[in-house]
Amino acid sequence: MDNIGHGGKEIVERILPKSAAIKRLSELRAAKVKELPVRLQIATEVIDIAYGFFSPLEGFMTKADVESVCDNMTLADRKTAWSIPIVFDISDDDLKKSGIKQYDEVLLTYTGNPFAIFDVTDIFSLDKKEVAMKVYGTTEDKHPGVKRTYQYQDKFLGGKITLLNPPKINEPFTRFWLTPKQMRERFQEKGWEMIINHQTRNVPHTGHEWLMKGAYLGAYGSMMVDKPRGGVLVNAIIGEKREGDYIDEAIILCQEAQGKYGYFREDIFLTTCSLWDMRYAGPREAVFHACLRTNLGCTHHMFGRDHAGVGSYYDPYDAHRIFNKLPDGSLRIKPIFNLDWWFCPVCDEVTYMGLCGHKDKKASFSGTLIRSIIQDGVKPPRRIFRPEVFDIIMECAEKYGFGSAFVNEQYLKNRQPVFTIEPLK
Amino acid sequence: MAEETYPINLWINEERLEKLQQAGLSSMCKEVLAGLKVLAVPNTAAQRDKVLKMFPMAKFDTATTKSIELLPKAVKDKIFDLVVQKKSLNIMDDFLKS
């Protein structure tokens, strides 16, 4: 497999090898370059940029990129599709205090340790309300993406990032963390020519399982079945949490269970994670997910009903229609659109609106409904929810969730971080 | 035309089923989703809005089930107890007053 990512460009990796990083760090410190601590939101995106999850981005967006993303859904080159601004914000005060100027080289630190070099090429302001309207289609701060936009500080820095100090991914995420290049190597080892991505931030119920199996069968098409030539990649989004979400540990371990307990053959199934704070941008987030999974080496991407939406801001199928608006050749990944599915008591199985003729008898269920059942302390039937998955949720609640499988204040405050940046030595 | 209602689904585990059986109310349960038992407590639109305001962690599942979900278990236990006590599903006014 080649390493061509989104935009038809080689996957970006901007990481200094350890010995070079240590040398560079001492040079930077000797030259007394400005140091700037970053918060988790920014640190996460530094990692994403440096490993190529956001290829072809090499750094945080300049004003020209942000404006073009908002107006044209492309980067400033007007060719490369991109739907969500990736920005580095800073308060006026911090900007003044730090003395950072255009073309400065800045040492970013995280949790007190050296982290990355930021070549600042642009310093700018944005009309946050305008950005919110163009990206999210609303200016209501009830929308979590809009809220995040309004919470940005008033100035933004654009420029390239170089990672000095790679993150240590903590358990239980370690084995699920593969960089885009590692992901592609893994696919090659598995002999996969077709990789269907399933985007998730949930533990799986059989509706998800059914959709993945349907997508697999559909996409496998006329390929020879002499050996597995394709598989399903569950790429779980691990990032900023909201109260009531499943805890990250339950998400990743329950997804893995589908292969471990044979609901998928292990040789056609892989669970990994990507670090990303969901913006809930609905259709625009769907395009972003397509770019991200192109960089992981996927050939197909599933998009379900109400993909990455929130509340009633988007029509359930807006995230399908947006792909018709992109110029041909903008994406190197094929969308697979999933319609509505339900449990049919007549068919006695989870089925699909495109197949089942008992629509009047359907019993719809959703991730929210399943969460509600679990919160009530009820074990759903295996046709709806796999018992092994339920057991893992309960284990995770005890082991990682302070007694709850769902995010609460205690979890947000005391959880083990997904990654840490250790001293560079 | 009957007013549309927005249920709170009380999912029935063994403990709740036993209480319903003791009160002679087990026939109030519906079987949904491959045999899963539920008591669907109806809410008017106004009651739904009050519940969502009182419990901001709850969610009205607009997309799929049109039901009020993710109420804390303690709150649902209280609603369940009221159903058993009043032997009726129409208890939301009493619940909201309490």
Side-chain angles (χ1 to χ4, degrees), chain A residues 53-287:
Chain A
F53 288 88
F54 293 172
S55 283
L57 296 191
E58 295 179 290
F60 286 95
M61 288 183 176
T62 60
K63 186 165 191 172
D65 275 328
V66 177
E67 285 178 346
S68 187
V69 166
C70 291
D71 294 337
N72 313 309
M73 224 166 59
T74 67
L75 298 179
D77 64 5
R78 302 289 294 266
K79 286 188 295 201
T80 310
W82 201 276
S83 51
I84 309 271
I86 304 295
V87 292
F88 188 114
D89 63 318
I90 184 168
S91 69
D92 272 324
D93 260 7
D94 285 346
L95 186 62
K96 273 180 207 149
K97 265 190 246 161
S98 67
I100 293 170
K101 294 187 183 59
Q102 198 180 17
Y103 306 120
D104 272 355
E105 200 172 34
V106 175
L107 175 63
L108 301 181
T109 62
Y110 180 62
T111 56
N113 290 318
F115 183 38
I117 303 169
F118 188 13
D119 291 299
V120 178
T121 52
D122 197 10
I123 301 176
F124 57 99
S125 306
L126 289 170
D127 180 337
K128 290 189 251 183
K129 209 166 178 181
E130 194 183 330
V131 170
M133 192 64 213
K134 287 179 175 169
V135 175
Y136 300 104
T138 175
T139 54
E140 285 182 10
D141 64 0
K142 271 195 306 186
H143 186 299
V146 174
K147 188 174 168 192
R148 181 185 174 110
T149 304
Y150 290 169
Q151 283 171 344
Y152 286 145
Q153 302 295 332
D154 288 333
K155 287 282 187 301
F156 297 86
L157 307 178
K160 290 184 183 178
I161 284 293
T162 308
L163 192 70
L164 288 173
N165 195 1
K168 175 181 174 282
I169 306 294
N170 296 316
E171 291 298 343
F173 303 100
T174 320
R175 68 178 180 278
F176 303 106
W177 165 257
L178 295 175
T179 68
K181 283 192 178 170
Q182 288 169 337
M183 204 96 69
R184 287 155 181 261
E185 283 163 18
R186 185 69 65 86
F187 298 151
Q188 202 155 23
E189 285 162 22
K190 284 176 162 290
W192 290 359
E193 298 158 26
M194 172 205 79
I195 303 107
I196 300 166
N197 183 81
H198 173 57
Q199 143 72 29
T200 189
R201 56 191 168 87
N202 259 315
V203 306
H205 52 61
T206 53
H208 300 125
E209 186 187 311
W210 193 96
L211 288 177
M212 286 188 268
K213 288 176 173 170
Y216 177 86
L217 292 172
Y220 209 95
S222 56
M223 282 199 293
M224 292 288 285
V225 291
D226 53 338
K227 58 177 185 176
R229 291 173 188 273
V232 175
L233 173 73
V234 174
N235 186 239
I237 290 294
I238 301 294
E240 217 162 64
K241 307 300 288 182
R242 297 189 298 172
E243 283 196 31
D245 289 347
Y246 282 109
I247 59 174
D248 283 330
E249 294 82 355
I251 295 170
I252 199 82
L253 294 171
C254 289
Q255 290 291 346
E256 182 192 36
Q258 296 176 99
K260 195 170 165 187
Y261 293 101
Y263 297 104
F264 288 87
R265 270 171 52 163
E266 284 200 90
D267 56 356
I268 64 130
F269 191 75
L270 180 65
T271 305
T272 65
C273 61
S274 291
L275 305 176
W276 170 248
D277 296 335
M278 286 285 295
R279 310 297 208 266
Y280 302 93
R284 275 195 178 237
E285 184 124 0
V287 172

Side-chain angles (χ1 to χ4, degrees), chain B:
Chain B
M1 201 171 130
E3 192 181 0
E4 191 172 1
T5 61
Y6 307 94
I8 292 171
N9 289 319
L10 302 175
W11 300 99
I12 305 302
N13 56 16
E14 281 174 19
E15 188 193 333
R16 283 179 176 168
L17 186 61
E18 206 179 303
K19 283 187 185 171
L20 287 173
Q21 281 167 340
Q22 278 169 6
L25 301 174
S26 54
S27 60
M28 277 182 169
C29 294
K30 282 191 298 184
E31 274 205 7
V32 291
L33 296 176
L36 199 59
K37 288 186 173 60
V38 68
L39 269 185
V41 178
N43 286 254
T44 61
Q47 286 169 336
R48 175 199 63 193
D49 295 344
K50 273 187 196 160
V51 169
L52 294 174
K53 203 170 171 190
M54 280 171 78
F55 304 103
M57 71 296 286
K59 186 176 166 187
F60 179 55
D61 188 346
T62 44
T64 315
T65 57
K66 308 262 186 274
S67 55
I68 303 164
E69 302 295 344
L70 305 180
L71 280 169
K73 185 166 185 296
V75 174
K76 289 174 88 169
D77 283 343
K78 198 170 171 189
I79 296 172
F80 178 81
D81 290 344
L82 264 177
V83 170
V84 174
Q85 189 195 324
K86 304 266 176 189
K87 296 189 185 298
S88 168
L89 290 172
N90 296 313
I91 49 82
M92 284 312 290
D93 275 339
D94 290 335
F95 172 76
L96 290 166
K97 269 183 225 155
S98 72

Side-chain angles (χ1 to χ4, degrees), chain A residues 6 73 81-84 197 199 281-294 299-308 315-338:
Chain A
H6 175 58
M73 224 166 59
W82 201 276
S83 51
I84 309 271
N197 183 81
Q199 143 72 29
R284 275 195 178 237
E285 184 124 0
V287 172
F288 170 78
H289 289 165
C291 303
L292 172 69
R293 273 54 183 256
T294 303
T299 55
H300 296 70
H301 196 304
M302 294 162 57
F303 295 98
R305 188 181 194 276
D306 205 20
H307 184 96
D315 177 88
Y317 296 109
D318 277 354
H320 294 187
R321 291 184 202 106
I322 195 165
F323 289 94
N324 295 331
K325 295 176 191 162
L326 294 172
D328 283 348
S330 311
L331 297 174
R332 299 165 62 86
I333 194 164
K334 192 171 177 186
I336 300 179
F337 300 130
N338 302 125

